[in-house]
Short mmCIF file of all heavy atoms in Angstrom, two decimals:
data_model
loop_
_atom_site.label_atom_id
_atom_site.label_comp_id
_atom_site.label_asym_id
_atom_site.label_seq_id
_atom_site.Cartn_x
_atom_site.Cartn_y
_atom_site.Cartn_z
N ALA A 107 81.98 93.06 44.80
CA ALA A 107 83.36 93.47 44.59
C ALA A 107 83.86 94.07 45.89
O ALA A 107 83.43 95.16 46.29
CB ALA A 107 83.45 94.50 43.45
N ALA A 108 84.71 93.33 46.60
CA ALA A 108 85.22 93.75 47.90
C ALA A 108 86.64 94.28 47.76
O ALA A 108 87.51 93.60 47.23
CB ALA A 108 85.19 92.59 48.87
N PHE A 109 86.86 95.50 48.25
CA PHE A 109 88.15 96.18 48.11
C PHE A 109 88.97 96.08 49.39
O PHE A 109 88.41 95.96 50.50
CB PHE A 109 87.92 97.65 47.76
CG PHE A 109 87.26 97.88 46.43
CD1 PHE A 109 85.88 97.70 46.27
CD2 PHE A 109 88.00 98.27 45.32
CE1 PHE A 109 85.27 97.90 45.05
CE2 PHE A 109 87.40 98.48 44.09
CZ PHE A 109 86.03 98.28 43.96
N PRO A 110 90.29 96.15 49.28
CA PRO A 110 91.15 96.03 50.47
C PRO A 110 90.90 97.10 51.53
O PRO A 110 91.17 96.88 52.71
CB PRO A 110 92.57 96.18 49.89
CG PRO A 110 92.46 95.80 48.47
CD PRO A 110 91.08 96.24 48.05
N ASP A 111 90.39 98.27 51.12
CA ASP A 111 90.13 99.35 52.08
C ASP A 111 88.78 99.22 52.78
O ASP A 111 88.39 100.09 53.55
CB ASP A 111 90.24 100.72 51.40
CG ASP A 111 89.19 100.94 50.32
OD1 ASP A 111 88.35 100.03 50.09
OD2 ASP A 111 89.21 102.01 49.68
N GLY A 112 88.05 98.13 52.49
CA GLY A 112 86.77 97.90 53.13
C GLY A 112 85.57 98.31 52.29
O GLY A 112 84.43 97.98 52.63
N ASP A 113 85.80 99.05 51.20
CA ASP A 113 84.71 99.45 50.33
C ASP A 113 84.13 98.22 49.63
O ASP A 113 84.82 97.22 49.42
CB ASP A 113 85.21 100.46 49.30
CG ASP A 113 84.08 101.09 48.49
OD1 ASP A 113 82.93 101.06 48.97
OD2 ASP A 113 84.35 101.59 47.38
N VAL A 114 82.84 98.31 49.25
CA VAL A 114 82.17 97.22 48.55
C VAL A 114 81.29 97.81 47.45
O VAL A 114 80.61 98.82 47.67
CB VAL A 114 81.29 96.39 49.50
CG1 VAL A 114 80.61 95.25 48.74
CG2 VAL A 114 82.11 95.80 50.64
N LYS A 115 81.33 97.19 46.27
CA LYS A 115 80.44 97.57 45.18
C LYS A 115 79.66 96.33 44.74
O LYS A 115 80.11 95.20 44.98
CB LYS A 115 81.23 98.16 44.00
CG LYS A 115 81.94 99.47 44.34
CD LYS A 115 82.62 100.07 43.11
CE LYS A 115 83.44 101.30 43.46
NZ LYS A 115 82.60 102.38 44.05
N TYR A 116 78.51 96.56 44.07
CA TYR A 116 77.63 95.45 43.74
C TYR A 116 77.17 95.54 42.28
O TYR A 116 77.02 96.61 41.72
CB TYR A 116 76.39 95.46 44.64
CG TYR A 116 76.71 95.51 46.11
CD1 TYR A 116 76.63 96.71 46.82
CD2 TYR A 116 77.09 94.35 46.79
CE1 TYR A 116 76.92 96.75 48.18
CE2 TYR A 116 77.38 94.39 48.14
CZ TYR A 116 77.30 95.60 48.83
OH TYR A 116 77.59 95.63 50.15
N TYR A 117 76.92 94.33 41.73
CA TYR A 117 76.31 94.23 40.40
C TYR A 117 75.32 93.07 40.42
O TYR A 117 75.69 91.94 40.78
CB TYR A 117 77.36 94.00 39.30
CG TYR A 117 76.76 93.54 37.99
CD1 TYR A 117 76.02 94.43 37.21
CD2 TYR A 117 76.87 92.23 37.55
CE1 TYR A 117 75.43 94.02 36.02
CE2 TYR A 117 76.30 91.81 36.35
CZ TYR A 117 75.57 92.71 35.59
OH TYR A 117 74.97 92.31 34.42
N ASP A 118 74.08 93.33 40.05
CA ASP A 118 73.06 92.28 39.96
C ASP A 118 72.95 91.78 38.52
O ASP A 118 72.80 92.57 37.60
CB ASP A 118 71.70 92.81 40.42
CG ASP A 118 71.69 93.16 41.90
OD1 ASP A 118 72.44 92.50 42.66
OD2 ASP A 118 70.94 94.08 42.29
N LYS A 119 73.04 90.49 38.36
CA LYS A 119 73.05 89.85 37.04
C LYS A 119 71.88 90.34 36.19
O LYS A 119 70.72 90.23 36.58
CB LYS A 119 73.00 88.33 37.21
CG LYS A 119 73.16 87.54 35.91
CD LYS A 119 73.17 86.05 36.23
CE LYS A 119 73.42 85.19 35.01
NZ LYS A 119 73.44 83.75 35.35
N ARG A 120 72.20 90.85 35.02
CA ARG A 120 71.18 91.40 34.12
C ARG A 120 70.38 90.30 33.42
O ARG A 120 69.17 90.36 33.32
CB ARG A 120 71.87 92.30 33.09
CG ARG A 120 71.00 92.74 31.94
CD ARG A 120 69.86 93.62 32.36
NE ARG A 120 69.18 94.20 31.21
CZ ARG A 120 68.10 94.96 31.31
NH1 ARG A 120 67.60 95.24 32.49
NH2 ARG A 120 67.52 95.44 30.22
N HIS A 121 71.09 89.30 32.90
CA HIS A 121 70.44 88.27 32.09
C HIS A 121 70.35 86.97 32.89
O HIS A 121 71.35 86.28 33.09
CB HIS A 121 71.22 88.06 30.79
CG HIS A 121 71.28 89.29 29.95
ND1 HIS A 121 72.35 90.18 30.03
CD2 HIS A 121 70.44 89.81 29.04
CE1 HIS A 121 72.14 91.18 29.19
NE2 HIS A 121 70.99 90.99 28.59
N CYS A 122 69.16 86.67 33.36
CA CYS A 122 68.94 85.44 34.12
C CYS A 122 68.68 84.29 33.14
O CYS A 122 67.88 84.41 32.22
CB CYS A 122 67.75 85.63 35.06
SG CYS A 122 68.02 86.91 36.31
N PHE A 123 69.36 83.17 33.37
CA PHE A 123 69.39 82.09 32.39
C PHE A 123 68.04 81.39 32.27
O PHE A 123 67.66 80.56 33.10
CB PHE A 123 70.48 81.09 32.79
CG PHE A 123 70.74 80.04 31.76
CD1 PHE A 123 71.09 80.37 30.46
CD2 PHE A 123 70.65 78.70 32.10
CE1 PHE A 123 71.33 79.39 29.51
CE2 PHE A 123 70.89 77.71 31.15
CZ PHE A 123 71.23 78.05 29.86
N ARG A 124 67.31 81.72 31.22
CA ARG A 124 65.96 81.24 31.02
C ARG A 124 65.88 79.72 30.92
O ARG A 124 64.97 79.08 31.47
CB ARG A 124 65.39 81.88 29.73
CG ARG A 124 63.96 81.51 29.41
CD ARG A 124 63.49 82.25 28.16
NE ARG A 124 63.64 83.69 28.32
CZ ARG A 124 62.74 84.47 28.93
NH1 ARG A 124 61.63 83.94 29.41
NH2 ARG A 124 62.94 85.76 29.03
N MET A 125 66.83 79.12 30.17
CA MET A 125 66.76 77.68 29.94
C MET A 125 66.97 76.86 31.22
O MET A 125 66.61 75.69 31.29
CB MET A 125 67.79 77.27 28.88
CG MET A 125 67.38 77.62 27.45
SD MET A 125 67.22 79.40 27.11
CE MET A 125 68.94 79.92 27.06
N GLY A 126 67.54 77.50 32.23
CA GLY A 126 67.71 76.82 33.51
C GLY A 126 66.70 77.25 34.54
O GLY A 126 66.75 76.81 35.69
#
Side-chain angles (χ1 to χ4, degrees):
F109 296 78
D111 64 0
D113 189 21
V114 180
K115 296 184 185 299
Y116 307 101
Y117 166 71
D118 294 330
K119 187 177 184 179
R120 169 66 170 176
H121 300 93
C122 297
F123 188 56
R124 182 177 304 276
M125 284 64 74

